[in-house]
Amino acid sequence: MQIITEPRQMQAIAEKMRLNRQLIGVVMTMGALHEGHLSLVKLAQQTAGIVILTIFVNPRQFAENEDLHRYPRPFEQDVALAKAAGVDYLFAPESETLYPNNFQTTLKCGALVEQFEGERREGHFNGVATVVTKLFNITKPHIAVFGEKDAQQLAVIRQLVEDLNLDITIIGAPIIREENGLAVSSRNIYLSSEEHRAASVLFQAILHAKKRIAEKETDLQSVAAEIEEMIRSTPGCRPDYVAFVDEKSFKTALTAEKGEEYRLLLAAYSGSVRLIDNAKIRA
Ligand code: AMP
């Protein structure tokens, strides 16, 4: 595995691979690699001959009050995990390399980011869209794998690719969970063992919603209210938002129509740690 930090060098390698008719897959991460990230690498390997993993803690997608400076950066461990997973190139630029002093162009997302994560995290998705576009231009992939764990982000990236005519196939990867159902996340290390145990309520809430919809409940708002109550009654936990949305538009859905698919979006705190989760639910 080759580690690359300079965009020009990564572009030259990617261009050469393209000329050799090699299929390039990219997986973008902020590092602190875990099973979720590695499942994305595996999925990329099933489609592409060459896999580039990027590690970049993108300052432009963190709001002022967020955890940019304490975000975990176990680089040596990440290198070992990426190597063991069979990654071909690890692209890990410095922040000053991607954002030199005269940097001034930022993408602006539309209606998709008006609610949920976009509403709560000022400028987050504009920062994501901008860095993802830069990393596409640097790694020149044919395919890119993103996790359903960040469902709104995946929708934003699909929209970005469509809107800007990017010639890249986006693959969504299923959520990898811990034994207690908690979605694996680099931020789970912030949880105390008690908060970690309590956080499994998010997965319990998803199971509850699936059961209620399977029982033919059509009032999605009342199912969402039941879930909020489940979270609120778990010690140390409080809901941020719970909503059923249309998968593509991310507009809130109030009533379940038979045969239709919805995405249940959850954000909640366990202690002071904010967690997100989601699931596709068919009525
Ligand atoms: P991050 O490093 O948190 O920015 O995540 C990098 C990529 O890994 C994103 O596409 C995430 O959606 C994906 N990802 C993070 N956690 C998981 C998980 N538990 N299961 C599947 N994909 C994940």
Side-chain angles (χ1 to χ4, degrees):
M1 184 180 80
Q2 205 175 325
I3 301 174
I4 295 167
T5 57
E6 290 302 319
R8 284 265 174 242
Q9 193 191 357
M10 188 71 254
Q11 281 171 319
I13 290 170
E15 189 55 32
K16 202 163 156 198
M17 291 190 294
R18 279 191 162 248
L19 289 173
N20 287 337
R21 297 191 161 277
Q22 285 172 296
L23 213 66
I24 304 172
V26 70
V27 172
M28 298 180 186
T29 77
M30 298 204 298
L33 298 181
H34 53 61
E35 284 304 314
H37 298 126
L38 299 177
S39 76
L40 269 50
V41 168
K42 208 174 268 176
L43 211 54
Q45 286 165 335
Q46 284 167 14
T47 315
I50 299 288
V51 172
I52 303 174
L53 178 78
T54 72
I55 294 184
F56 182 61
V57 183
N58 177 31
R60 288 177 180 254
Q61 70 189 65
F62 286 77
E64 286 286 319
N65 58 340
E66 291 183 342
D67 56 343
L68 172 63
H69 296 294
R70 70 166 183 151
Y71 198 84
R73 291 169 171 82
F75 190 67
E76 293 309 317
Q77 183 186 310
D78 284 351
V79 168
L81 286 170
K83 216 184 262 182
V87 166
D88 299 285
Y89 295 92
L90 174 60
F91 179 63
E94 292 295 332
S95 186
E96 302 71 42
T97 311
L98 284 202
Y99 301 116
N101 282 338
N102 67 342
F103 184 88
Q104 45 189 290
T105 308
T106 304
L107 286 174
K108 187 170 179 298
C109 302
L112 256 181
V113 308
E114 280 167 6
Q115 280 181 289
F116 312 115
E117 293 306 292
E119 184 184 3
R120 282 150 183 88
R121 305 182 67 187
E122 181 76 38
H124 171 69
F125 286 118
N126 292 343
V128 168
T130 304
V131 83
V132 165
T133 304
K134 284 168 70 70
L135 292 171
F136 280 155
N137 288 332
I138 293 167
T139 59
K140 303 176 186 258
H142 298 89
I143 66 138
V145 184
F146 292 90
E148 286 180 8
K149 163 74 172 33
D150 300 281
Q152 195 173 12
Q153 169 174 282
L154 178 56
V156 162
I157 290 164
R158 288 192 194 282
Q159 186 73 40
L160 162 79
V161 164
E162 191 177 320
D163 288 347
L164 302 187
N165 304 92
L166 304 184
D167 192 10
I168 301 166
T169 302
I170 303 299
I171 298 173
I175 301 175
I176 303 296
R177 298 182 178 280
E178 297 185 10
E179 232 165 77
N180 71 353
L182 177 65
V184 177
S185 165
S186 308
R187 288 187 168 104
N188 290 354
I189 58 158
Y190 300 150
L191 295 164
S192 69
S193 56
E194 218 163 284
E195 290 164 347
H196 187 274
R197 247 193 316 278
S200 70
V201 69
L202 269 70
F203 184 60
Q204 295 307 321
I206 289 173
L207 295 180
H208 176 76
K210 287 191 169 167
K211 179 167 159 283
R212 297 285 284 121
I213 305 298
E215 289 166 356
K216 308 269 184 286
E217 175 61 64
T218 56
D219 183 352
L220 297 176
Q221 258 181 322
S222 70
V223 179
E226 288 165 19
I227 289 176
E228 288 201 14
E229 192 41 45
M230 266 178 91
I231 296 172
R232 204 171 288 120
S233 61
T234 303
C237 293
R238 67 190 161 94
D240 182 355
Y241 60 77
V242 177
F244 288 86
V245 297
D246 170 81
E247 177 93 281
K248 190 147 194 280
S249 68
F250 266 69
K251 292 259 179 278
T252 305
L254 302 179
T255 312
E257 309 270 352
K258 196 171 163 28
E260 291 295 316
E261 277 184 343
Y262 301 93
R263 195 160 284 271
L264 167 61
L265 303 178
L266 305 167
Y269 289 88
S270 184
S272 60
V273 184
R274 188 169 180 280
L275 301 163
I276 57 169
D277 206 336
N278 68 85
K280 190 189 277 189
I281 297 185
R282 178 187 280 273

